[in-house]
Amino acid sequence: EFNITIPAILVGGSVVVDFTLSGAKLTDDYVVMKYPSEIIDEGLLVGTPIITADGMCKFIIFNPTGLNSTAINDAIFKFKVVK
C-alpha cells in the first residue's frame, strides 16, 4: 500500500508517477494496481503500470476533462507483482 499525492493536473495534461516496488522484475513480471475512487471522481484516466527496471515502476495519469483537476493528497494505491 502506497500513499501518493497526485498534484493538480491542467486540462489535457498528465503526470507520471514513479515508484519502487520490491520484487518486480523487468523480464517476465507485470504489475496490477488498485487506485482510489477520488481519481475517477475527478474524471482522470489512469494508465496501466509498467516495470521500467528491476524494482522500478511507473504509470501515467491524464486529465481529458475540460477543467483543471484538484490535487488529491495521500491517495491510497495498492500494487501487486504478478509472476
Side-chain angles (χ1 to χ4, degrees):
E1 185 172 298
F2 293 80
N3 288 351
I4 299 173
T5 296
I6 306 301
I9 303 173
L10 299 176
V11 173
S14 62
V15 63
V16 174
V17 178
D18 293 293
F19 62 99
T20 303
L21 187 59
S22 181
K25 300 289 184 193
L26 183 59
T27 59
D28 302 331
D29 293 352
Y30 63 95
V31 177
V32 292
M33 170 176 60
K34 180 180 183 234
Y35 53 87
S37 62
E38 292 92 345
I39 290 177
I40 300 300
D41 295 342
E42 285 287 324
L44 303 175
L45 300 176
V46 181
T48 302
I50 61 169
I51 301 170
T52 55
D54 287 352
M56 300 300 299
C57 304
K58 66 173 61 176
F59 63 93
I60 191 168
I61 300 175
F62 176 68
N63 181 2
T65 69
L67 302 170
N68 295 335
S69 73
T70 57
I72 302 171
N73 295 314
D74 297 322
I76 298 174
F77 286 77
K78 293 183 180 182
F79 301 95
K80 181 176 182 179
V81 176
V82 179
K83 301 286 183 184

